[in-house]
Amino acid sequence: MKNPARHVGTCRIVCRLPSSTNGNPRWLLTIAGKTCRTSVDSSLGYAIQNYDGLPVNAIIGTHYGLSTLDTIALA
């Protein structure tokens, strides 16, 4: 992951993306106005629904040219 940066704000799920080839869920979301997605085959794909609408601390970086969520925790 390149260019990791901390973002503090409310997590909002925008939509569900197509599942990975292994069948794991992926999500498009915004945190503090920054749009990002969960990475392929990450456990965050299952946990992200628990953070929807809540204030969070997140680290978002660039992975293969796309803004990707690295870590997330309640603020």
Side-chain angles (χ1 to χ4, degrees):
M1 176 130 349
K2 296 181 180 180
N3 308 320
R6 180 177 307 275
H7 296 273
V8 179
T10 302
C11 176
R12 300 275 183 210
I13 293 177
V14 176
C15 67
R16 183 172 175 160
L17 299 172
S19 297
S20 69
T21 56
N22 294 325
N24 295 315
R26 298 183 63 215
W27 299 93
L28 183 67
L29 54 126
T30 60
I31 298 173
K34 175 76 172 172
T35 302
C36 63
R37 60 188 65 221
T38 57
S39 61
V40 177
D41 296 332
S42 169
S43 63
L44 290 174
Y46 291 99
I48 199 67
Q49 293 178 353
N50 298 328
Y51 297 100
D52 190 28
L54 298 175
V56 296
N57 291 322
I59 296 180
I60 299 172
T62 305
H63 187 65
Y64 287 102
L66 299 171
S67 293
T68 306
L69 181 66
D70 186 39
T71 61
I72 191 167
L74 290 175

